[in-house]
Amino acid sequence: MCRFLLYKGKQPILLAHLITRPKHSIVNQSFDSRLRLDTRRPLNGDGFGVGWYDNETRENDMESITPCIFTSVTPAWNNTNLVRLAEKIRSPLVFAHVRASTSGAVSETNCHPWSYGRLMWMHNGGIADFEKIKRKLQNSLPEELFLFVQGNTDSEWAFALFLSFLSNPNANSFEHQELKEAMLKTVAQLNAWAEEYDITEPSLLNFAVTDGQSVVCIRYISSKTEEAASLYFSSGTRFECYRPGHYRMVKADRREDIVVVASEPLTFEKADWLTIPTNNILVVTPKLNVLLQPIKDKFYTTERGLEVKIENEEDVATIPEPKAQLFKAQVEGQMQQLQQQQQHDSSILVG
């Protein structure tokens, strides 16, 4: 079970503020993951990847709107180049991922995120009994997308499947509605093949995709009763460090200038993070509107959320269900214990 985070903001952010400096940064989550469903092995040390877009996009310059991706098979906590890059690179849209292999060998070709044209994709989870449906998935792809896949993970093949549902995966721009619909079709197709091959084990499908303007991600499990892998989001006007290692999301007004989505909260501020309910899809539009909506398929239950209209938007939002809020309270308790332990350790070092 991997960990990932994504950032979209009106202003570029230094990667270090997300990846290395927070006490519960994505690098720290690579060796101290607290919220993985698989608690037997809290390490995410099978490689990592960081993807970002140029903060000085030039019109009609394809190179400036395609993401730059840095991957390595070394653990994120032990990669000097990652620290060096994080201290120098700024971007308005960042994907970061630390891997715990469930499918595919430990290799750079299997490290998330992946890119195709201006699109970037990452996944936390696993497609149940993927080997049973792999040939079916491959046969469904056009030649170009079949040849695109370089690794052997279920995650990268799922990306190819997603691309096949776009009218033109090589386009220079995408509407967020098209990305959302392609994501929903990807999940629906995987579920249809699972049913066809009598696969009963649930698939964990926390997918995230971006074209550099919009972001679409889901927290999903093919089960009516089980919880998906953890996923949270935070939004505000400023993400600031108020003392070394400690960050908070500042909400100066009703504007949303920053949106962060993460497998685990990066800050210890209780009010900063909201749980994305299980089997929901989250869309961040180019104007930083956050749209949250339940996925109404055969695994949908009303207990997982309450739809509400968003002013001036056709989409709907979801108020997290009581179970999600209970899970959030449990997480907050764990994060508070972690903070107290770190403060205790710091006092011992000072003494």
Side-chain angles (χ1 to χ4, degrees):
M1 196 67 61
C2 310
R3 305 280 83 180
F4 71 55
L5 76 82
L6 64 90
Y7 165 94
K8 177 173 170 58
K10 288 185 177 179
Q11 299 298 324
I13 191 172
L14 186 69
L15 267 58
H17 291 313
L18 302 169
I19 296 173
T20 57
R21 293 186 187 180
K23 283 192 176 294
H24 201 55
S25 68
I26 192 72
V27 167
N28 282 54
Q29 291 176 34
S30 66
F31 63 83
D32 189 22
S33 174
R34 297 299 179 98
L35 303 179
R36 279 178 41 159
L37 294 178
D38 178 9
T39 57
R40 296 169 299 170
R41 188 168 64 101
L43 294 179
N44 298 281
D46 296 327
F48 69 87
V50 181
W52 66 92
Y53 291 81
D54 189 346
N55 62 17
E56 296 180 356
T57 300
R58 294 169 291 279
E59 190 174 357
N60 299 324
D61 183 355
M62 188 60 184
E63 289 186 1
S64 69
I65 58 174
T66 56
C68 178
I69 295 178
F70 170 54
T71 58
S72 174
V73 295
T74 64
W77 68 77
N78 194 34
N79 191 286
T80 304
N81 285 330
L82 176 61
V83 176
R84 290 169 177 164
L85 288 171
E87 292 293 337
K88 296 298 181 181
I89 295 173
R90 296 178 182 271
S91 173
L93 206 158
V94 180
F95 272 24
H97 186 282
V98 290
R99 184 172 183 240
S101 175
T102 57
S103 173
V106 177
S107 67
E108 287 193 9
T109 55
N110 287 335
C111 289
H112 313 223
W114 295 276
S115 66
Y116 186 92
R118 68 176 297 160
L119 295 164
M120 185 161 56
W121 170 278
M122 60 184 175
H123 173 209
N124 173 27
I127 300 173
D129 291 331
F130 179 63
E131 66 280 359
K132 293 183 179 180
I133 68 167
K134 183 176 181 179
R135 179 62 64 87
K136 191 90 171 184
L137 189 160
Q138 292 172 333
N139 290 341
S140 74
L141 299 175
E143 187 76 2
E144 180 182 359
L145 296 180
F146 174 79
L147 295 175
F148 152 71
V149 177
Q150 299 298 306
N152 59 352
T153 65
D154 54 351
S155 306
E156 191 179 10
W157 284 110
F159 183 26
L161 180 63
F162 168 85
L163 294 171
S164 73
F165 289 121
L166 297 172
S167 58
N168 178 14
N170 295 296
N172 287 337
S173 64
F174 299 88
E175 296 293 330
H176 69 264
Q177 294 92 338
E178 182 182 12
L179 298 179
K180 172 186 169 185
E181 288 304 313
M183 182 71 79
L184 293 174
K185 288 177 181 178
T186 301
V187 172
Q189 185 61 77
L190 291 173
N191 285 338
W193 284 331
E195 185 174 359
E196 179 181 349
Y197 285 88
D198 297 319
I199 298 172
T200 57
E201 180 185 350
S203 291
L204 292 161
L205 307 178
N206 283 17
F207 293 138
V209 69
T210 181
D211 65 344
Q213 298 294 323
S214 304
V215 176
V216 176
C217 60
I218 61 171
R219 182 185 180 212
Y220 188 89
I221 185 171
S222 54
S223 169
K224 281 189 173 183
T225 57
E226 297 184 43
E227 284 291 313
S230 60
L231 198 62
Y232 299 83
F233 83 92
S234 179
S235 62
T237 52
R238 192 170 69 255
F239 190 63
E240 69 173 17
C241 177
Y242 59 93
R243 61 189 174 94
H246 293 263
Y247 285 73
R248 61 188 168 205
M249 183 68 75
V250 178
K251 304 177 190 293
D253 50 43
R254 294 175 64 87
R255 292 180 297 118
E256 290 180 336
D257 295 338
I258 292 171
V259 176
V260 181
V261 178
S263 298
E264 300 189 16
L266 304 184
T267 77
F268 301 117
E269 304 295 324
K270 293 183 179 180
D272 281 356
W273 300 90
L274 289 175
T275 304
I276 297 176
T278 288
N279 288 18
N280 272 245
I281 185 166
L282 182 143
V283 178
V284 184
T285 71
K287 294 183 178 180
L288 284 165
N289 295 317
V290 178
L291 313 174
L292 189 61
Q293 185 176 11
I295 299 172
K296 292 187 175 180
D297 57 13
K298 66 179 182 179
F299 299 111
Y300 169 75
T301 64
T302 55
E303 294 180 358
R304 281 177 167 161
L306 174 66
E307 283 190 1
V308 296
K309 293 286 184 181
I310 299 178
E311 187 178 359
N312 299 325
E313 294 287 351
E314 294 181 358
D315 293 86
V316 296
T318 299
I319 298 175
E321 79 286 4
K323 287 183 180 179
Q325 293 307 301
L326 176 60
F327 183 62
K328 178 174 180 287
Q330 293 172 343
V331 170
E332 288 171 349
Q334 293 176 355
M335 298 299 290
Q336 188 174 17
Q337 290 176 2
L338 174 61
Q339 183 181 17
Q340 292 171 348
Q341 181 62 45
Q342 289 173 333
Q343 290 173 343
H344 175 70
D345 293 345
S346 298
S347 64
I348 292 176
L349 291 173
V350 172

